[in-house]
Amino acid sequence: MSVEKELLERSGGVCELCGSDVELSVYEVAPSNGSAEQSVLVCSTCNTQLQDLNSVDANHWRCLNDSMWSSEPAVQVVAYRMLSHLAAEGWPQDLLEMLYLDDEVLAWAQSVPSDAEERVPTKDSNGVTLEAGDTVTIIKDLEVKGAGFTAKRGTAVRNIALTNNPEQIEGRVNGTKIVLLTKFLKKQ
Ligand SMILES: [Zn+2]
């Protein structure tokens, strides 16, 4: 029997997190061996938000109020991680305190660093956190290797993009998209 079939049977054909039956798919709960025991059947809404924690709509996850009591460890793990991610909202923290996990399940839930811990913030020369879309000022003349111009001190760079490296951002200077070191930038 395929994992999907097994999960459909286990869940009764609905999302194991919110109960929706829209576009169900298998979500592997990392680190997962791909088995049904280590996967959860999720709807498209849950899946999208699990894949991109920045797109999480906290209200949607009030469904965990019910589903966190599932007897399936994989569902418990997803609930634990999502509630931890949303803890700042208040109510998820309350639910988290009620959620009792076996030692083994808790270890699984905590085995993947949460998004917040993993991501090192990108900061400017003053230690101010930069976000995508911010405007920054260049605080030192910078020779742009490869582009053949100097990005002048005082130049404003609008609508920056963050990179995987917290010490670098991307922005347009003289119409050219370049990577800039955050230590030479100041947020406006
Ligand atoms: Zn769902």
Side-chain angles (χ1 to χ4, degrees):
M1 190 157 49
S2 75
V3 170
E4 191 167 2
K5 267 200 180 141
E6 240 177 284
L7 290 178
L8 277 167
E9 210 156 278
R10 180 173 93 189
S11 65
V14 295
C15 173
E16 292 183 279
L17 302 173
C18 75
S20 160
D21 59 2
V22 178
E23 289 176 55
L24 298 173
S25 60
V26 176
Y27 174 76
E28 293 185 5
V29 184
S32 170
N33 59 12
S35 68
E37 289 73 37
Q38 298 188 3
S39 305
V40 173
L41 192 70
V42 295
C43 69
S44 56
T45 307
C46 288
N47 196 29
T48 309
Q49 299 195 23
L50 285 167
Q51 304 294 349
D52 178 13
L53 287 176
N54 293 320
S55 75
V56 167
D57 166 21
N59 262 330
H60 175 72
W61 296 97
R62 288 186 182 268
C63 59
L64 294 176
N65 211 344
D66 294 321
S67 50
M68 72 182 216
W69 303 108
S70 163
S71 57
E72 286 302 328
V75 177
Q76 296 171 2
V77 167
V78 173
Y80 179 92
R81 289 181 184 165
M82 187 52 82
L83 291 172
S84 304
H85 177 69
L86 296 171
E89 298 277 329
W91 61 264
Q93 183 64 42
D94 296 342
L95 291 184
L96 208 50
E97 279 161 21
M98 283 191 283
L99 182 58
Y100 174 80
L101 301 184
D102 288 337
D103 290 347
E104 235 171 87
V105 178
L106 186 62
W108 178 11
Q110 294 176 337
S111 61
V112 174
S114 79
D115 193 47
E117 285 166 339
E118 206 171 22
R119 198 171 356 121
V120 179
T122 300
K123 293 184 174 173
D124 75 1
S125 55
N126 295 322
V128 177
T129 301
L130 297 174
E131 311 273 3
D134 278 349
T135 299
V136 295
T137 308
I138 298 173
I139 59 172
K140 176 179 185 277
D141 284 0
L142 300 173
E143 201 183 314
V144 184
K145 294 195 186 76
F149 66 86
T150 301
K152 292 271 185 218
R153 175 172 172 221
T155 303
V157 184
R158 294 191 173 77
N159 195 19
I160 63 165
L162 301 185
T163 67
N164 290 328
N165 182 341
E167 290 175 4
Q168 302 178 344
I169 58 112
E170 279 185 338
R172 266 179 197 284
V173 177
N174 290 0
T176 307
K177 195 171 180 186
I178 57 171
V179 172
L180 291 158
L181 293 177
T182 53
K183 65 180 172 188
F184 298 130
L185 303 173
K186 198 177 77 176
K187 182 168 166 160
Q188 281 197 352

